[in-house]
Amino acid sequence: MGSDVRDASPPGGGIEAPPRDCSLCPRLVEYRAANRAANPGWFNAPVPSFGPTGAPMLVVGMAPGVKGANRTGRPFTGDHAGILLYQTLLRFDLASGEYRAEPDDGVALRDVRIVNAVRCVPPANLPEPAEVTACNRFLRSELQGMPNLRLVLALGVLAHAAVLKACGIPPARVRFSHGAVHTLPDGLLLADSYHVSRYNTNTRRLTEPMFEAVVQDAIHRLGWPA
Ligand code: SF4
């Protein structure tokens, strides 16, 4: 069983974020360099988390999209995946403002923070296992550095597995299941949803009501009115 990840504070306190030129994943560094050369006006760096560190809820995605967060510098911002996520957060009052798919649209998160399991954009939208492992130190630091964290919403199998890894829990112990909410040994709740990707929404694997039900259940479990 994993240790209580929230008992272990990061060295020096706070949350450890990767440097803009993080070099831990050679394949992603190469892809970053190519994107910087092709689109110098884009963000093209590890995408920082978004939202208050004091939030009780953390949404964990997979990795930035090349024309989404990799372009804009804000998680789930600029490509299709962000539409359902931000619309749902706005609907349940977990965000304020008007989502316009740009980081200066004025959207502010309330009681929720968003992070990706892998901070740098991967080719073909697919991180390799070694890259998930390399970036896991930063996810772990997020979990450790959020003092009020009670529920993690994992978007997809990869994010689910990355959260378990960050908590030191073997993946076979807690299987991904859309709509499930697992209580981890330290009491942290891990809620699973299919990813809000264009593929999943276009194929109706994940519909708007399905995702709203997951978020509503999370809100209910946190004891908030919905
Ligand atoms: S994915 Fe994470 S660990 Fe890998 S280079 Fe980017 S920031 Fe560093």
Side-chain angles (χ1 to χ4, degrees):
M1 134 76 234
S3 58
D4 183 339
V5 70
R6 291 166 295 168
D7 282 349
S9 297
I15 294 175
E16 182 189 16
R20 193 170 162 80
D21 289 313
C22 182
S23 59
L24 293 176
C25 304
R27 188 182 74 119
L28 303 189
V29 170
E30 193 177 321
Y31 192 44
R32 183 195 302 152
N35 279 318
R36 284 180 179 174
N39 296 289
W42 290 6
F43 186 74
N44 293 320
V47 175
S49 306
F50 178 45
T53 55
M57 182 171 165
L58 178 68
V59 176
V60 180
M62 184 175 69
V66 66
K67 294 180 182 173
N70 175 67
R71 176 176 62 83
T72 65
R74 193 177 75 182
F76 287 91
T77 299
D79 57 10
H80 186 86
I83 298 172
L84 179 56
L85 177 60
Y86 283 105
Q87 280 181 352
T88 306
L89 296 179
L90 285 162
R91 171 168 185 173
F92 287 104
D93 213 22
L94 294 170
S96 60
E98 182 188 349
Y99 176 67
R100 291 194 303 273
E102 292 295 341
D104 61 357
D105 59 12
V107 165
L109 299 182
R110 177 183 301 147
D111 293 330
V112 64
R113 185 168 163 88
I114 305 175
V115 66
N116 277 313
V118 173
R119 305 291 183 107
C120 294
V121 58
N125 284 330
L126 198 59
E128 292 183 343
E131 293 157 357
V132 178
T133 298
C135 215
N136 202 248
R137 60 186 278 182
F138 302 115
L139 178 58
R140 182 178 173 82
S141 184
E142 289 283 338
L143 298 172
Q144 292 173 343
M146 293 180 65
N148 303 317
L149 183 64
R150 292 166 54 205
L151 186 144
V152 178
L153 171 55
L155 300 181
V157 177
L158 188 146
H160 168 100
V163 172
L164 294 180
K165 182 188 281 287
C167 294
I169 300 170
R173 291 262 184 95
V174 186
R175 298 286 187 188
F176 175 88
S177 175
H178 174 82
V181 179
H182 315 276
T183 302
L184 302 186
D186 63 2
L188 183 67
L189 299 176
L190 173 59
D192 291 338
S193 171
Y194 294 133
H195 195 280
V196 289
S197 67
R198 180 191 292 274
Y199 178 83
N200 282 345
T201 53
N202 281 355
T203 59
R204 312 283 293 167
R205 182 179 177 87
L206 181 68
T207 63
E208 200 174 303
M210 284 170 69
F211 189 60
E212 286 179 359
V214 168
V215 173
Q216 193 159 27
D217 186 41
I219 288 171
H220 173 74
R221 288 171 189 265
L222 287 168
W224 299 335

